[in-house]
Amino acid sequence: MVPTEESAADTPAPPPPPPHFVIVPLVAQGHTIPMVDLALLLAERGARASLVTTPLNGARLRGVAEQAARAKLPLEIVELPFPTDVDGLPPGIENMDQVTDNGHFVPLFDALRKLAGPLEAYLRAQAPRPSCIVSDWCNPWAAGAARSLGIRRLFFHGPPCFYSLCDLNATDHGLRELAAGAAAADVDDGQERFVVPSMPVHVEVTKATAPGFFNSPGWEAVRGECVEAMRAADGAVVNTFVGLEGQFVSCYEAALGKPVWTLGPLCLRERDADAMSSRGADGGQQHSAVAAWLDSKETGSVVFVSFGSLARKLPKQLFEVGHGLEDSGRPFLWVVKLAEASPPEVREWLGALEARAAGRGLVVRGWAPQLAILSHRAVGGFVTHCGWNSLLESVAHGVPVVTWPHFADQFLNERLAVDVLGVGVPIGVTAPVMVFDDESVVVARGDVARAVSALMGEGKEAGERRRRAREYGEKAHGAMEKGGSSYENLTQLIESFGQVEARKG
Ligand SMILES: *[C@@H]1O[C@H](CO)[C@@H](O)[C@H](O)[C@H]1NC(C)=O
Ligand SMILES: CC(=O)N[C@H]1CO[C@H](CO)[C@@H](O)[C@@H]1O
C-alpha cells in the first residue's frame, strides 16, 4: 500500500541519521587548528563529527570538547593510544611542536603510521559506518582503513590551491629533478630561477623554494605515501575561498581530477570573543593584558609580529628582529616563543628593549591569541612566516602583511600574497631555514625596518595594499555567510554524504 500523507504522518519513518565525518588532523598546531574548526562547523550544520587524535593532543582539545558540549553539538574527541617504543623518538612526544631536534621528525611520522590499526578498529566499531573520513594530506596512514572498510575519504591539505597546483604541475613536469640536476652539475649557485610549468600566472622558484612537502633526503617514503594517498582519495577539502583564488581552485580541481571543496576561511567560524582568544591554547590568560594594550592604540597603527608554532629563532636572529622593530618607529606587538625567550641573555635583552620602547612595543612571551589580535581594530599590519593559517587569518581580517617565509609551502604562499593578491611586502629571504640549529642570520635589522615602514607607511602603494586587503576581508566574510561560496560548498558536502547514508538505509 502506498502510504497517504496522513498515514505517513501517523507513523513517520525515522529520519536518516546525520552523516558522520571522521576528521583526522596531523599532530601539529597549524594543521589541527583548521581541522578543529572544520569539525565544529560540520557539527553546527547538523552533521556528526569525530576528531581523531592521541591522548596528549586530546588533552589540548579539552576546551573544544567543553565548547561543543555547552552548545550541545554532536562532536566527540577520539583518542587513539600513542605507540610506545618507536625507534629514535623520545617518550612523551606526540606533537610536532614538542620536537626539539630535527632528527625526531621522521620517527614521529613512523609512530603516527602505527595509528592505522587503532583507527581501523575505531571505524569498525561504529554503527552505522561513518560516512566520510577527512584526513590530513600528511596522514596517509588513514587511507588504508578507509579503503578496507569502503568508507569514502577526502584529504585536507593545509596550503592554498595556488600552492597545491604549483606542486602538482612541478611534480608532473619533473621540475624538482631539473632543479636538483642543475645544482648537482654546478651550473647553479642555488639561485637559478625555474618557471613552474602550466600555471595560469607566471611563477618562478629556485631549487630551494620549489614546491613539495617532504622533499628533503630521508623523507622519500613519507612523501611517496602522501602522494599515493592523495591520488587514491575521493576529493580534497581546502581552507580557502573562491573569491580569493578562484582561478587556482578550478585549475587545481581540473588537474587533480576530483572535487575540491573550498570551505574557508575556517577561522571565521569563531565569532565568540572568549573562544577566539583561547583558540589553539589551554586558556586565554594573556588575552586581557594584550587586549588592554591594543585598546590604547590608534586604529591601524600596530604591527603584529609572529612566526607560527614551529620555527625557532636563535638569539642573534631574534635581536635583529627586535632592533628592526625598534628602528621602524611603529608600535609593535611581538610574539617570542618561551623556548626562544628562555636563555638569560635573551630575557635580559627583551626586558631592555621593552624599557626603551616603553608603551610603544609589547613583547608577548609564549602563546598569543592571534585571531583576537588580528581582528582588533588597532592592528594594521602583520609580519608573518606565511604559514597558510596565519596568512589567511590576516587576509580574512583585512590586514596586509610583511612576508618572511621559513619552509614548506611558505615561499609560494608569499608569491600568492605579494604577486597575485597584492597584499604583501617581501622581507627578502630567498632560502628556507631548518626548524632548529640554524645559526645563520638571514634577515638583518635594516630589512625588518624597511619592510615594516613600507607596510605601515602612508604612500600610494601602502594605501593600495590596505585597500586590497580590506576588500579580501569583506569577501572572506561574505564567503562564510549563508549564500556565500564556502557556506554553500559545506552545505553540498554534507548533503552529498547524507544522501549516501539515506540510500543505504
Ligand atoms: C564550491 O562553490 C563554488 C562557487 O559557488 C562552485 O563553483 C564549486 O563547484 C563548489 N565546489 C564543489 C565541490 O561543489
Ligand atoms: C601536468 C599539468 O600540466 N597539470 C596541470 C597544470 O596546471 C594546469 C592549469 O593551469 C592544469 O590544467 C594542468 O592539468
Side-chain angles (χ1 to χ4, degrees), residues 280-305:
D282 307 326
Q285 326 83 297
Q286 300 248 40
H287 184 229
S288 48
V290 171
W293 187 85
L294 284 173
D295 285 346
S296 74
K297 295 286 173 283
E298 277 174 36
T299 298
S301 66
V302 175
V303 59
F304 172 52
V305 186

Side-chain angles (χ1 to χ4, degrees), residues 165 168-170 172-173 197-201 247 250-252 254-256:
L165 182 65
L168 278 189
N169 275 336
D172 289 348
H173 291 273
S198 311
M199 287 295 289
V201 296
Q247 67 168 325
S250 35
C251 288
Y252 179 51
L256 198 62

Side-chain angles (χ1 to χ4, degrees), residues 26 39 48 62 75 92 133 184 234 269 292 392 429 463-464 468:
L26 180 71
R48 194 180 142 202
R62 215 143 278 157
L75 182 148
I133 295 173
D234 296 290
R269 190 205 64 81
L392 189 60
V429 289
E464 275 296 294
R468 280 188 291 262

Side-chain angles (χ1 to χ4, degrees), residues 242 253 259-262 485 489 492:
V242 169
E253 195 162 42
V260 173
W261 310 90
T262 56
S485 63
N489 268 192
Q492 295 210 1

Side-chain angles (χ1 to χ4, degrees), residues 69-122:
R70 267 198 309 276
K72 300 201 167 36
L73 296 177
L75 182 148
E76 61 170 344
I77 310 244
V78 178
E79 293 178 8
L80 306 179
F82 193 81
T84 48
D85 65 28
V86 177
D87 267 359
L89 188 68
I93 295 186
E94 293 184 21
N95 191 295
M96 302 275 216
D97 65 9
Q98 295 175 291
V99 170
T100 52
D101 181 324
N102 284 316
H104 293 157
F105 284 114
V106 171
L108 179 55
F109 274 81
D110 292 339
L112 294 175
R113 211 180 267 126
K114 297 188 180 181
L115 295 174
L119 174 66
E120 185 166 337
Y122 162 77

Side-chain angles (χ1 to χ4, degrees), residues 2-306:
V2 179
T4 64
E5 268 182 32
E6 264 160 68
S7 70
D10 287 343
T11 52
H20 179 193
F21 290 82
V22 176
I23 315 280
V24 192
L26 180 71
V27 290
Q29 283 308 85
H31 295 243
T32 302
I33 287 175
M35 289 183 86
V36 166
D37 283 333
L38 173 63
L40 284 162
L41 207 49
L42 283 163
E44 280 173 358
R45 298 282 302 277
R48 194 180 142 202
S50 302
L51 262 170
V52 174
T53 190
T54 68
L56 190 143
N57 293 295
R60 294 188 187 185
L61 294 176
R62 215 143 278 157
V64 174
E66 284 163 13
Q67 188 189 349
R70 267 198 309 276
K72 300 201 167 36
L73 296 177
L75 182 148
E76 61 170 344
I77 310 244
V78 178
E79 293 178 8
L80 306 179
F82 193 81
T84 48
D85 65 28
V86 177
D87 267 359
L89 188 68
I93 295 186
E94 293 184 21
N95 191 295
M96 302 275 216
D97 65 9
Q98 295 175 291
V99 170
T100 52
D101 181 324
N102 284 316
H104 293 157
F105 284 114
V106 171
L108 179 55
F109 274 81
D110 292 339
L112 294 175
R113 211 180 267 126
K114 297 188 180 181
L115 295 174
L119 174 66
E120 185 166 337
Y122 162 77
L123 293 169
R124 226 175 252 291
Q126 304 306 302
R129 279 280 146 80
S131 329
C132 175
I133 295 173
V134 185
S135 54
D136 195 291
W137 192 92
C138 304
N139 276 343
W141 51 267
R147 193 171 41 242
S148 66
L149 293 176
I151 302 174
R152 283 193 287 165
R153 179 178 56 87
L154 309 177
F155 67 85
F156 174 94
H157 205 9
C161 291
F162 171 80
Y163 168 86
S164 298
L165 182 65
C166 283
D167 190 12
L168 278 189
N169 275 336
T171 306
D172 289 348
H173 291 273
L175 178 78
R176 259 185 304 278
E177 293 73 8
L178 195 74
D186 240 12
V187 294
D188 177 16
D189 57 358
Q191 289 307 311
E192 189 184 343
R193 310 191 70 78
F194 299 89
V195 176
V196 181
S198 311
M199 287 295 289
V201 296
H202 183 81
V203 186
E204 283 184 1
V205 294
T206 63
K207 175 177 180 281
T209 63
F213 275 44
F214 308 131
N215 275 330
S216 324
W219 287 91
E220 296 80 2
V222 174
R223 177 165 173 90
E225 288 162 18
C226 292
V227 170
E228 198 188 315
M230 167 182 79
R231 300 273 183 213
D234 296 290
V237 170
V238 188
N239 184 15
T240 188
F241 60 104
V242 169
L244 184 72
E245 49 156 359
Q247 67 168 325
F248 303 111
V249 176
S250 35
C251 288
Y252 179 51
E253 195 162 42
L256 198 62
K258 312 174 192 295
V260 173
W261 310 90
T262 56
L263 307 179
L266 293 167
C267 65
L268 290 184
R269 190 205 64 81
E270 195 53 80
R271 290 165 298 266
D272 175 66
D274 284 341
M276 207 190 260
S277 66
S278 63
R279 217 166 96 97
D282 307 326
Q285 326 83 297
Q286 300 248 40
H287 184 229
S288 48
V290 171
W293 187 85
L294 284 173
D295 285 346
S296 74
K297 295 286 173 283
E298 277 174 36
T299 298
S301 66
V302 175
V303 59
F304 172 52
V305 186
S306 180

